[in-house]
Amino acid sequence: MRATILKMVKMPDSSLRLLIQGRARIRLAEITQREPFIRAKIVPLEDEGEKTDLQGLMAAVKGIFQKWWKWRPIFPASWPSWP
């Protein structure tokens, strides 16, 4: 798994703050190396954003269908006339 360090700030207490962009969500499990660069073991996390997007889309489709069902009786049986 690859990531890009977008910003690195050395804090007054000698700690580092990193802003990292990657392809997936992760949890830092263990720092395995500090010199000459930081290396760590990571654990991939499930991407919750896709579930949220899918749930929102499903709710929108359900709402549209419910509105259509409510207004359905006012349309003639031949509407729309499909070729």
Side-chain angles (χ1 to χ4, degrees):
M1 185 171 298
R2 299 270 180 198
T4 303
I5 297 174
L6 300 177
K7 188 174 187 178
M8 181 172 68
V9 178
K10 292 184 181 183
M11 303 302 287
D13 65 354
S14 298
S15 65
L16 288 174
R17 295 260 177 170
L18 299 174
L19 176 60
I20 300 173
Q21 181 180 23
R23 295 185 198 178
R25 292 177 46 102
I26 62 161
R27 180 176 56 84
L28 181 63
E30 175 187 2
I31 296 176
T32 58
Q33 177 180 323
R34 292 189 182 271
E35 295 293 332
F37 51 85
I38 297 173
R39 182 173 282 197
K41 289 184 181 178
I42 59 167
V43 176
L45 299 175
E46 186 175 327
D47 187 8
E48 297 173 7
E50 290 181 15
K51 284 185 178 180
T52 304
D53 293 344
L54 181 58
Q55 289 171 347
L57 182 59
M58 287 174 28
V61 169
K62 182 179 176 182
I64 291 168
F65 181 78
Q66 287 174 339
K67 287 178 184 176
W68 173 81
W69 191 259
K70 178 181 174 183
W71 291 102
R72 181 184 52 86
I74 67 169
F75 295 112
S78 63
W79 187 89
S81 62
W82 301 100

